[in-house]
Amino acid sequence: MNPSLSTPAAPPDVMSSTPLLVAAARRQACKRAPVWIMRQAGRYLPEYRAVRETVSFMGLCKTPELAAEVTIQPVDRLGVDAAILFSDILIPLEAMGLEVEFTERGPRLPAPVRDRAAIDRLVVPDPAEKMPFVAAAIRIIVERLAGRVPVIGFAGAPFTLACYAVDGGGSKDFARTRAMMHSAPADFAALLDRLADTVAASLEAQVDAGVGLVQIFDSWGGNLSEGQWRTFALPATAKIVSRLQARGVPVTLYLGGGPHLIDAMADTGADVLGLDWRVDLETVLDRLGDRVTVQGNLDPTLLYAPPARIREEVARIARGVAQRPHIWNLGHGILPDVPVEHAQAFVRACQEIQA
Ligand code: CP3
């Protein structure tokens, strides 16, 4: 039992019907911390690669039956405590009117957003009209899982989406995006606000289709200083958080490379902070007290190490967290050539080890 969480926050009947993930996100009593893995549906799974041989990545995202199948694969294979919708953060950019390609070397936008006219051409799409395959996939997943585990919905954070929209693909430091922030701050703020409206509407549609929690990915937010993140990213991100909380679901904000942004992340009002391996979870819990649940944060490359090492690292993190509100995960997505048995060993260790 979990001493710090053992105060009966909810009557037993409510506790037993609330999924572990949602209870942990709400800082309610939990028998153990739940576990899932970012990018858990992906190339390290042979059954995912088998499906991908028959269909392109975009084709997979847009075929609800197949998206549902690969969403459920890691639930069956790893026994994780949540499913995450199979889709991509760049799907809403396409729905806004941008061309998006997935190449061998990652995503590419051949006509990036570089000026005010391009920002003004971006539409805030109606998800039911422009991304109907997302809700359709969620409905199949929810029906097929029949309450076994909850489904996580997700979207990119406004700043991270702006990085792809403006730079036109992956980058070391997203210099063009940051240059727009400095040279045309009002335009950049308008871009982030439009992205926030798109993301909020997309996540609301995912909630209506049945997801139990949503996660916002600010994978590249750590490229900003705290002042920059507070000025530009915070207002747009906080707007999404409050719209989704009004729909009754907890919200997780994941931020990559941002130990310096933790207070700013908490100021969005997010229920859960998703953290990478550069920060100690106990430091965050000590500082933010009862405000948040923390999620993470093993270094993804640790999954190349033997299972005994993985277990030691899980035990080390468990001691630091000391049974305070926590959701197990990696600090970033699982890498495509990790052995499946190592991912299984990670999940098993998280479910067995209690500090
Ligand atoms: O977590 C899950 O299992 C759900 C599916 C999911 C994908 N992308 C599938 C995917 C999620 C949650 C994402 C989010 C995403 N997409 C992020 C934020 C998380 C992060 O990793 O920081 C970002 C930045 C993207 C953009 C993106 N999509 C990149 C940079 C790439 C190429 C890199 C890569 O891993 O190949 C993608 C493609 C992508 N998205 C794949 C998958 C499974 C690989 C495509 C394939 O099957 O060939």
PDB file of all heavy atoms in Angstrom, residues 118-148:
ATOM      1  N   ALA A 118       1.312  33.471 -44.733  1.00  0.00           N
ATOM      2  CA  ALA A 118       1.213  32.008 -44.577  1.00  0.00           C
ATOM      3  C   ALA A 118       0.499  31.649 -43.264  1.00  0.00           C
ATOM      4  O   ALA A 118      -0.268  30.682 -43.218  1.00  0.00           O
ATOM      5  CB  ALA A 118       2.599  31.385 -44.612  1.00  0.00           C
ATOM      6  N   ILE A 119       0.737  32.455 -42.222  1.00  0.00           N
ATOM      7  CA  ILE A 119       0.042  32.207 -40.942  1.00  0.00           C
ATOM      8  C   ILE A 119      -1.459  32.421 -41.138  1.00  0.00           C
ATOM      9  O   ILE A 119      -2.282  31.619 -40.712  1.00  0.00           O
ATOM     10  CB  ILE A 119       0.585  33.134 -39.829  1.00  0.00           C
ATOM     11  CG1 ILE A 119       2.051  32.796 -39.527  1.00  0.00           C
ATOM     12  CG2 ILE A 119      -0.267  33.038 -38.556  1.00  0.00           C
ATOM     13  CD1 ILE A 119       2.761  33.798 -38.614  1.00  0.00           C
ATOM     14  N   ASP A 120      -1.805  33.517 -41.838  1.00  0.00           N
ATOM     15  CA  ASP A 120      -3.226  33.840 -42.027  1.00  0.00           C
ATOM     16  C   ASP A 120      -3.947  32.818 -42.905  1.00  0.00           C
ATOM     17  O   ASP A 120      -5.161  32.685 -42.816  1.00  0.00           O
ATOM     18  CB  ASP A 120      -3.371  35.253 -42.614  1.00  0.00           C
ATOM     19  CG  ASP A 120      -2.991  36.331 -41.593  1.00  0.00           C
ATOM     20  OD1 ASP A 120      -2.994  36.016 -40.376  1.00  0.00           O
ATOM     21  OD2 ASP A 120      -2.676  37.468 -41.999  1.00  0.00           O
ATOM     22  N   ARG A 121      -3.197  32.112 -43.741  1.00  0.00           N
ATOM     23  CA  ARG A 121      -3.835  31.083 -44.589  1.00  0.00           C
ATOM     24  C   ARG A 121      -4.176  29.817 -43.801  1.00  0.00           C
ATOM     25  O   ARG A 121      -4.963  28.997 -44.267  1.00  0.00           O
ATOM     26  CB  ARG A 121      -2.897  30.705 -45.751  1.00  0.00           C
ATOM     27  CG  ARG A 121      -2.966  31.659 -46.933  1.00  0.00           C
ATOM     28  CD  ARG A 121      -2.355  31.031 -48.176  1.00  0.00           C
ATOM     29  NE  ARG A 121      -0.953  30.660 -48.012  1.00  0.00           N
ATOM     30  CZ  ARG A 121       0.083  31.509 -48.207  1.00  0.00           C
ATOM     31  NH1 ARG A 121      -0.142  32.754 -48.597  1.00  0.00           N
ATOM     32  NH2 ARG A 121       1.315  31.097 -48.023  1.00  0.00           N
ATOM     33  N   LEU A 122      -3.576  29.627 -42.610  1.00  0.00           N
ATOM     34  CA  LEU A 122      -3.845  28.412 -41.836  1.00  0.00           C
ATOM     35  C   LEU A 122      -5.267  28.439 -41.291  1.00  0.00           C
ATOM     36  O   LEU A 122      -5.669  29.425 -40.674  1.00  0.00           O
ATOM     37  CB  LEU A 122      -2.865  28.293 -40.663  1.00  0.00           C
ATOM     38  CG  LEU A 122      -1.391  28.103 -41.016  1.00  0.00           C
ATOM     39  CD1 LEU A 122      -0.539  28.180 -39.754  1.00  0.00           C
ATOM     40  CD2 LEU A 122      -1.190  26.762 -41.720  1.00  0.00           C
ATOM     41  N   VAL A 123      -6.011  27.370 -41.516  1.00  0.00           N
ATOM     42  CA  VAL A 123      -7.375  27.320 -40.993  1.00  0.00           C
ATOM     43  C   VAL A 123      -7.380  26.559 -39.665  1.00  0.00           C
ATOM     44  O   VAL A 123      -6.511  25.713 -39.422  1.00  0.00           O
ATOM     45  CB  VAL A 123      -8.344  26.630 -41.977  1.00  0.00           C
ATOM     46  CG1 VAL A 123      -8.484  27.447 -43.260  1.00  0.00           C
ATOM     47  CG2 VAL A 123      -7.919  25.205 -42.281  1.00  0.00           C
ATOM     48  N   VAL A 124      -8.343  26.867 -38.811  1.00  0.00           N
ATOM     49  CA  VAL A 124      -8.575  26.051 -37.615  1.00  0.00           C
ATOM     50  C   VAL A 124      -9.631  25.025 -38.032  1.00  0.00           C
ATOM     51  O   VAL A 124     -10.797  25.359 -38.194  1.00  0.00           O
ATOM     52  CB  VAL A 124      -9.057  26.912 -36.423  1.00  0.00           C
ATOM     53  CG1 VAL A 124      -9.434  26.022 -35.241  1.00  0.00           C
ATOM     54  CG2 VAL A 124      -7.970  27.897 -36.016  1.00  0.00           C
ATOM     55  N   PRO A 125      -9.201  23.777 -38.271  1.00  0.00           N
ATOM     56  CA  PRO A 125     -10.113  22.808 -38.882  1.00  0.00           C
ATOM     57  C   PRO A 125     -11.147  22.252 -37.906  1.00  0.00           C
ATOM     58  O   PRO A 125     -10.897  22.171 -36.699  1.00  0.00           O
ATOM     59  CB  PRO A 125      -9.163  21.684 -39.323  1.00  0.00           C
ATOM     60  CG  PRO A 125      -7.989  21.782 -38.408  1.00  0.00           C
ATOM     61  CD  PRO A 125      -7.856  23.221 -38.015  1.00  0.00           C
ATOM     62  N   ASP A 126     -12.304  21.874 -38.466  1.00  0.00           N
ATOM     63  CA  ASP A 126     -13.286  21.125 -37.692  1.00  0.00           C
ATOM     64  C   ASP A 126     -12.819  19.660 -37.722  1.00  0.00           C
ATOM     65  O   ASP A 126     -12.770  19.045 -38.783  1.00  0.00           O
ATOM     66  CB  ASP A 126     -14.667  21.272 -38.361  1.00  0.00           C
ATOM     67  CG  ASP A 126     -15.710  20.375 -37.709  1.00  0.00           C
ATOM     68  OD1 ASP A 126     -15.372  19.630 -36.757  1.00  0.00           O
ATOM     69  OD2 ASP A 126     -16.876  20.425 -38.158  1.00  0.00           O
ATOM     70  N   PRO A 127     -12.454  19.101 -36.543  1.00  0.00           N
ATOM     71  CA  PRO A 127     -11.904  17.740 -36.539  1.00  0.00           C
ATOM     72  C   PRO A 127     -12.847  16.721 -37.177  1.00  0.00           C
ATOM     73  O   PRO A 127     -12.389  15.785 -37.834  1.00  0.00           O
ATOM     74  CB  PRO A 127     -11.699  17.425 -35.054  1.00  0.00           C
ATOM     75  CG  PRO A 127     -11.706  18.740 -34.358  1.00  0.00           C
ATOM     76  CD  PRO A 127     -12.528  19.680 -35.182  1.00  0.00           C
ATOM     77  N   ALA A 128     -14.164  16.897 -36.998  1.00  0.00           N
ATOM     78  CA  ALA A 128     -15.120  15.923 -37.550  1.00  0.00           C
ATOM     79  C   ALA A 128     -15.062  15.913 -39.072  1.00  0.00           C
ATOM     80  O   ALA A 128     -15.292  14.888 -39.714  1.00  0.00           O
ATOM     81  CB  ALA A 128     -16.535  16.251 -37.076  1.00  0.00           C
ATOM     82  N   GLU A 129     -14.713  17.067 -39.650  1.00  0.00           N
ATOM     83  CA  GLU A 129     -14.684  17.163 -41.104  1.00  0.00           C
ATOM     84  C   GLU A 129     -13.312  16.786 -41.667  1.00  0.00           C
ATOM     85  O   GLU A 129     -13.192  16.040 -42.635  1.00  0.00           O
ATOM     86  CB  GLU A 129     -15.036  18.608 -41.474  1.00  0.00           C
ATOM     87  CG  GLU A 129     -15.234  18.855 -42.957  1.00  0.00           C
ATOM     88  CD  GLU A 129     -15.190  20.344 -43.263  1.00  0.00           C
ATOM     89  OE1 GLU A 129     -15.658  21.147 -42.402  1.00  0.00           O
ATOM     90  OE2 GLU A 129     -14.664  20.716 -44.319  1.00  0.00           O
ATOM     91  N   LYS A 130     -12.225  17.282 -41.008  1.00  0.00           N
ATOM     92  CA  LYS A 130     -10.884  17.126 -41.582  1.00  0.00           C
ATOM     93  C   LYS A 130     -10.073  15.955 -41.012  1.00  0.00           C
ATOM     94  O   LYS A 130      -9.091  15.537 -41.614  1.00  0.00           O
ATOM     95  CB  LYS A 130     -10.086  18.432 -41.374  1.00  0.00           C
ATOM     96  CG  LYS A 130     -10.610  19.602 -42.208  1.00  0.00           C
ATOM     97  CD  LYS A 130     -10.101  19.460 -43.620  1.00  0.00           C
ATOM     98  CE  LYS A 130     -10.630  20.384 -44.679  1.00  0.00           C
ATOM     99  NZ  LYS A 130     -11.042  21.682 -44.413  1.00  0.00           N
ATOM    100  N   MET A 131     -10.468  15.460 -39.829  1.00  0.00           N
ATOM    101  CA  MET A 131      -9.716  14.338 -39.237  1.00  0.00           C
ATOM    102  C   MET A 131     -10.683  13.290 -38.663  1.00  0.00           C
ATOM    103  O   MET A 131     -10.497  12.840 -37.524  1.00  0.00           O
ATOM    104  CB  MET A 131      -8.795  14.845 -38.103  1.00  0.00           C
ATOM    105  CG  MET A 131      -7.820  15.939 -38.509  1.00  0.00           C
ATOM    106  SD  MET A 131      -6.832  16.545 -37.095  1.00  0.00           S
ATOM    107  CE  MET A 131      -7.843  17.902 -36.511  1.00  0.00           C
ATOM    108  N   PRO A 132     -11.696  12.880 -39.434  1.00  0.00           N
ATOM    109  CA  PRO A 132     -12.720  11.966 -38.880  1.00  0.00           C
ATOM    110  C   PRO A 132     -12.129  10.610 -38.490  1.00  0.00           C
ATOM    111  O   PRO A 132     -12.656   9.935 -37.596  1.00  0.00           O
ATOM    112  CB  PRO A 132     -13.722  11.812 -40.038  1.00  0.00           C
ATOM    113  CG  PRO A 132     -12.936  12.125 -41.272  1.00  0.00           C
ATOM    114  CD  PRO A 132     -11.922  13.160 -40.865  1.00  0.00           C
ATOM    115  N   PHE A 133     -11.011  10.237 -39.134  1.00  0.00           N
ATOM    116  CA  PHE A 133     -10.383   8.929 -38.858  1.00  0.00           C
ATOM    117  C   PHE A 133      -9.861   8.841 -37.422  1.00  0.00           C
ATOM    118  O   PHE A 133      -9.738   7.749 -36.878  1.00  0.00           O
ATOM    119  CB  PHE A 133      -9.253   8.661 -39.868  1.00  0.00           C
ATOM    120  CG  PHE A 133      -8.349   9.851 -40.080  1.00  0.00           C
ATOM    121  CD1 PHE A 133      -7.268  10.082 -39.255  1.00  0.00           C
ATOM    122  CD2 PHE A 133      -8.618  10.772 -41.107  1.00  0.00           C
ATOM    123  CE1 PHE A 133      -6.451  11.180 -39.438  1.00  0.00           C
ATOM    124  CE2 PHE A 133      -7.802  11.884 -41.297  1.00  0.00           C
ATOM    125  CZ  PHE A 133      -6.712  12.100 -40.453  1.00  0.00           C
ATOM    126  N   VAL A 134      -9.578   9.975 -36.783  1.00  0.00           N
ATOM    127  CA  VAL A 134      -9.058   9.956 -35.405  1.00  0.00           C
ATOM    128  C   VAL A 134     -10.147   9.464 -34.440  1.00  0.00           C
ATOM    129  O   VAL A 134      -9.956   8.505 -33.686  1.00  0.00           O
ATOM    130  CB  VAL A 134      -8.532  11.349 -34.986  1.00  0.00           C
ATOM    131  CG1 VAL A 134      -8.177  11.378 -33.504  1.00  0.00           C
ATOM    132  CG2 VAL A 134      -7.313  11.743 -35.826  1.00  0.00           C
ATOM    133  N   ALA A 135     -11.310  10.108 -34.488  1.00  0.00           N
ATOM    134  CA  ALA A 135     -12.402   9.701 -33.600  1.00  0.00           C
ATOM    135  C   ALA A 135     -12.862   8.284 -33.931  1.00  0.00           C
ATOM    136  O   ALA A 135     -13.176   7.488 -33.035  1.00  0.00           O
ATOM    137  CB  ALA A 135     -13.578  10.680 -33.721  1.00  0.00           C
ATOM    138  N   ALA A 136     -12.851   7.943 -35.216  1.00  0.00           N
ATOM    139  CA  ALA A 136     -13.277   6.596 -35.620  1.00  0.00           C
ATOM    140  C   ALA A 136     -12.343   5.540 -35.026  1.00  0.00           C
ATOM    141  O   ALA A 136     -12.801   4.511 -34.512  1.00  0.00           O
ATOM    142  CB  ALA A 136     -13.307   6.492 -37.144  1.00  0.00           C
ATOM    143  N   ALA A 137     -11.028   5.801 -35.050  1.00  0.00           N
ATOM    144  CA  ALA A 137     -10.074   4.852 -34.469  1.00  0.00           C
ATOM    145  C   ALA A 137     -10.306   4.727 -32.964  1.00  0.00           C
ATOM    146  O   ALA A 137     -10.331   3.622 -32.416  1.00  0.00           O
ATOM    147  CB  ALA A 137      -8.638   5.299 -34.745  1.00  0.00           C
ATOM    148  N   ILE A 138     -10.502   5.869 -32.294  1.00  0.00           N
ATOM    149  CA  ILE A 138     -10.696   5.837 -30.829  1.00  0.00           C
ATOM    150  C   ILE A 138     -11.928   5.001 -30.469  1.00  0.00           C
ATOM    151  O   ILE A 138     -11.887   4.195 -29.539  1.00  0.00           O
ATOM    152  CB  ILE A 138     -10.822   7.269 -30.261  1.00  0.00           C
ATOM    153  CG1 ILE A 138      -9.484   8.005 -30.413  1.00  0.00           C
ATOM    154  CG2 ILE A 138     -11.249   7.244 -28.781  1.00  0.00           C
ATOM    155  CD1 ILE A 138      -9.557   9.508 -30.163  1.00  0.00           C
ATOM    156  N   ARG A 139     -13.013   5.179 -31.241  1.00  0.00           N
ATOM    157  CA  ARG A 139     -14.230   4.409 -30.919  1.00  0.00           C
ATOM    158  C   ARG A 139     -13.987   2.908 -31.047  1.00  0.00           C
ATOM    159  O   ARG A 139     -14.450   2.124 -30.213  1.00  0.00           O
ATOM    160  CB  ARG A 139     -15.401   4.885 -31.781  1.00  0.00           C
ATOM    161  CG  ARG A 139     -15.973   6.225 -31.281  1.00  0.00           C
ATOM    162  CD  ARG A 139     -17.304   6.559 -31.934  1.00  0.00           C
ATOM    163  NE  ARG A 139     -17.126   6.954 -33.321  1.00  0.00           N
ATOM    164  CZ  ARG A 139     -16.974   8.218 -33.727  1.00  0.00           C
ATOM    165  NH1 ARG A 139     -17.064   9.197 -32.856  1.00  0.00           N
ATOM    166  NH2 ARG A 139     -16.783   8.486 -34.999  1.00  0.00           N
ATOM    167  N   ILE A 140     -13.227   2.495 -32.051  1.00  0.00           N
ATOM    168  CA  ILE A 140     -12.920   1.056 -32.198  1.00  0.00           C
ATOM    169  C   ILE A 140     -12.053   0.582 -31.031  1.00  0.00           C
ATOM    170  O   ILE A 140     -12.286  -0.468 -30.434  1.00  0.00           O
ATOM    171  CB  ILE A 140     -12.192   0.768 -33.537  1.00  0.00           C
ATOM    172  CG1 ILE A 140     -13.055   1.179 -34.724  1.00  0.00           C
ATOM    173  CG2 ILE A 140     -11.804  -0.719 -33.639  1.00  0.00           C
ATOM    174  CD1 ILE A 140     -12.332   1.088 -36.076  1.00  0.00           C
ATOM    175  N   ILE A 141     -11.029   1.389 -30.681  1.00  0.00           N
ATOM    176  CA  ILE A 141     -10.095   1.003 -29.599  1.00  0.00           C
ATOM    177  C   ILE A 141     -10.853   0.845 -28.279  1.00  0.00           C
ATOM    178  O   ILE A 141     -10.691  -0.150 -27.561  1.00  0.00           O
ATOM    179  CB  ILE A 141      -8.973   2.061 -29.433  1.00  0.00           C
ATOM    180  CG1 ILE A 141      -8.129   2.170 -30.708  1.00  0.00           C
ATOM    181  CG2 ILE A 141      -8.087   1.737 -28.242  1.00  0.00           C
ATOM    182  CD1 ILE A 141      -7.325   3.475 -30.820  1.00  0.00           C
ATOM    183  N   VAL A 142     -11.690   1.841 -27.963  1.00  0.00           N
ATOM    184  CA  VAL A 142     -12.429   1.818 -26.689  1.00  0.00           C
ATOM    185  C   VAL A 142     -13.334   0.588 -26.639  1.00  0.00           C
ATOM    186  O   VAL A 142     -13.392  -0.117 -25.634  1.00  0.00           O
ATOM    187  CB  VAL A 142     -13.244   3.125 -26.513  1.00  0.00           C
ATOM    188  CG1 VAL A 142     -14.220   3.014 -25.348  1.00  0.00           C
ATOM    189  CG2 VAL A 142     -12.303   4.317 -26.309  1.00  0.00           C
ATOM    190  N   GLU A 143     -13.989   0.308 -27.756  1.00  0.00           N
ATOM    191  CA  GLU A 143     -14.897  -0.841 -27.777  1.00  0.00           C
ATOM    192  C   GLU A 143     -14.108  -2.148 -27.604  1.00  0.00           C
ATOM    193  O   GLU A 143     -14.469  -3.007 -26.803  1.00  0.00           O
ATOM    194  CB  GLU A 143     -15.654  -0.853 -29.105  1.00  0.00           C
ATOM    195  CG  GLU A 143     -16.798  -1.848 -29.109  1.00  0.00           C
ATOM    196  CD  GLU A 143     -17.346  -2.030 -30.511  1.00  0.00           C
ATOM    197  OE1 GLU A 143     -17.692  -1.014 -31.158  1.00  0.00           O
ATOM    198  OE2 GLU A 143     -17.393  -3.195 -30.970  1.00  0.00           O
ATOM    199  N   ARG A 144     -12.984  -2.234 -28.315  1.00  0.00           N
ATOM    200  CA  ARG A 144     -12.213  -3.480 -28.273  1.00  0.00           C
ATOM    201  C   ARG A 144     -11.526  -3.693 -26.925  1.00  0.00           C
ATOM    202  O   ARG A 144     -11.384  -4.818 -26.463  1.00  0.00           O
ATOM    203  CB  ARG A 144     -11.188  -3.471 -29.392  1.00  0.00           C
ATOM    204  CG  ARG A 144     -10.999  -4.831 -29.973  1.00  0.00           C
ATOM    205  CD  ARG A 144     -10.288  -4.782 -31.299  1.00  0.00           C
ATOM    206  NE  ARG A 144     -11.168  -4.443 -32.397  1.00  0.00           N
ATOM    207  CZ  ARG A 144     -10.736  -4.164 -33.629  1.00  0.00           C
ATOM    208  NH1 ARG A 144      -9.449  -4.135 -33.896  1.00  0.00           N
ATOM    209  NH2 ARG A 144     -11.594  -3.885 -34.578  1.00  0.00           N
ATOM    210  N   LEU A 145     -11.084  -2.610 -26.272  1.00  0.00           N
ATOM    211  CA  LEU A 145     -10.420  -2.764 -24.972  1.00  0.00           C
ATOM    212  C   LEU A 145     -11.426  -3.058 -23.859  1.00  0.00           C
ATOM    213  O   LEU A 145     -11.055  -3.622 -22.834  1.00  0.00           O
ATOM    214  CB  LEU A 145      -9.619  -1.505 -24.624  1.00  0.00           C
ATOM    215  CG  LEU A 145      -8.318  -1.307 -25.399  1.00  0.00           C
ATOM    216  CD1 LEU A 145      -7.741   0.073 -25.099  1.00  0.00           C
ATOM    217  CD2 LEU A 145      -7.300  -2.397 -25.050  1.00  0.00           C
ATOM    218  N   ALA A 146     -12.671  -2.668 -24.065  1.00  0.00           N
ATOM    219  CA  ALA A 146     -13.757  -2.969 -23.126  1.00  0.00           C
ATOM    220  C   ALA A 146     -13.374  -2.680 -21.669  1.00  0.00           C
ATOM    221  O   ALA A 146     -13.618  -3.485 -20.778  1.00  0.00           O
ATOM    222  CB  ALA A 146     -14.196  -4.430 -23.291  1.00  0.00           C
ATOM    223  N   GLY A 147     -12.699  -1.551 -21.445  1.00  0.00           N
ATOM    224  CA  GLY A 147     -12.394  -1.146 -20.076  1.00  0.00           C
ATOM    225  C   GLY A 147     -11.127  -1.766 -19.509  1.00  0.00           C
ATOM    226  O   GLY A 147     -10.753  -1.479 -18.368  1.00  0.00           O
ATOM    227  N   ARG A 148     -10.431  -2.600 -20.300  1.00  0.00           N
ATOM    228  CA  ARG A 148      -9.189  -3.239 -19.813  1.00  0.00           C
ATOM    229  C   ARG A 148      -8.188  -2.182 -19.347  1.00  0.00           C
ATOM    230  O   ARG A 148      -7.640  -2.262 -18.265  1.00  0.00           O
ATOM    231  CB  ARG A 148      -8.612  -4.077 -20.966  1.00  0.00           C
ATOM    232  CG  ARG A 148      -7.446  -4.952 -20.641  1.00  0.00           C
ATOM    233  CD  ARG A 148      -7.515  -6.282 -21.400  1.00  0.00           C
ATOM    234  NE  ARG A 148      -7.274  -6.107 -22.834  1.00  0.00           N
ATOM    235  CZ  ARG A 148      -6.143  -6.468 -23.449  1.00  0.00           C
ATOM    236  NH1 ARG A 148      -5.152  -6.999 -22.761  1.00  0.00           N
ATOM    237  NH2 ARG A 148      -6.007  -6.308 -24.745  1.00  0.00           N
TER     238      ARG A 148
END
